[in-house]
Amino acid sequence: MSMRSLYKARGAFSNKWPICAICVDRTRGRTTEVDLGYGVRVWLCETHASSEFRNFRAGRDFVLTLQRIWQANACLTAARHRALQAHLAAVRPKAREAARTLPGSYAWPAQRAAAERAWAAGTPLHATLQHACDPRRYGDARPPSRRTIRRWHAQRRWVARSTRSP
Ligand SMILES: [Zn+2]
């Protein structure tokens, strides 16, 4: 049975700085004190203090990890909770922007137009669902869900178009 402890791991890292709050006994190299606002500070290694880790998955990785650590230490105070929520909020707009620039992952204009042409021609919804969700038609992009296609169908844009044109 292996019982990991910092006592056993002593010598593996410097005593000059506190250990990384996330790495604990796997801490390597120098750590820095990171200010999260609301009077909340945490010591982290270079990797965990990096903006790459802090912004990864829209900040959810960073926030969930610290939340669980502070829970385990029974010190998830209101200030720490607020600091984590503030971090999520600060990171979110960037994440949305990145999602918007991903080609084809949030909009399927060509696929939608093709489906609407089929519906305008009288093809029933269920006959188009399979084809419209087929992942092979979307390459690396995420195909629309059946729910999305049902929404396109319910919005009936082709009806509005055909009444507008002479
Ligand atoms: Zn670390």
Side-chain angles (χ1 to χ4, degrees):
M1 186 168 117
S2 96
M3 285 190 281
R4 291 165 66 160
S5 76
L6 285 167
Y7 181 80
K8 278 191 196 165
R10 76 196 189 280
F13 43 79
S14 172
N15 281 325
K16 274 187 241 165
W17 307 287
I19 54 167
C20 167
I22 296 173
C23 292
V24 191
D25 63 335
R26 282 157 298 179
T27 304
R28 294 291 175 269
R30 209 197 149 133
T31 54
T32 46
E33 193 177 29
V34 174
D35 192 332
L36 296 177
Y38 300 96
V40 176
R41 283 182 296 274
V42 63
W43 283 84
L44 296 171
C45 69
E46 209 182 308
T47 305
H48 286 128
S50 71
S51 55
E52 196 188 349
F53 176 69
R54 284 200 258 171
N55 297 341
F56 185 58
R57 263 198 278 270
R60 289 194 299 272
D61 239 21
F62 181 76
V63 165
L64 184 81
T65 304
L66 283 180
Q67 194 184 311
R68 300 300 296 265
I69 289 168
W70 288 335
Q71 246 166 20
N73 286 292
C75 69
L76 184 56
T77 57
R80 288 197 174 92
H81 182 77
R82 228 176 285 132
L84 291 180
Q85 292 312 306
H87 178 76
L88 278 183
V91 168
R92 212 177 289 130
K94 278 184 220 135
R96 261 200 234 116
E97 222 162 71
R100 259 202 300 275
T101 58
L102 273 178
S105 61
Y106 280 80
W108 303 271
Q111 286 79 8
R112 180 168 186 167
E116 287 176 344
R117 270 196 303 277
W119 294 328
T123 311
L125 171 65
H126 67 86
T128 54
L129 266 180
Q130 195 64 43
H131 180 64
C133 299
D134 189 345
R136 284 168 301 188
R137 298 179 66 219
Y138 300 90
D140 290 337
R142 194 167 49 87
S145 63
R146 283 171 170 258
R147 201 174 137 200
T148 297
I149 297 179
R150 285 207 176 86
R151 179 169 50 78
W152 295 348
H153 188 258
Q155 286 171 346
R156 304 176 72 79
R157 288 202 313 199
W158 70 94
V159 176
R161 264 197 299 273
S162 63
T163 53
R164 234 182 283 131
S165 51

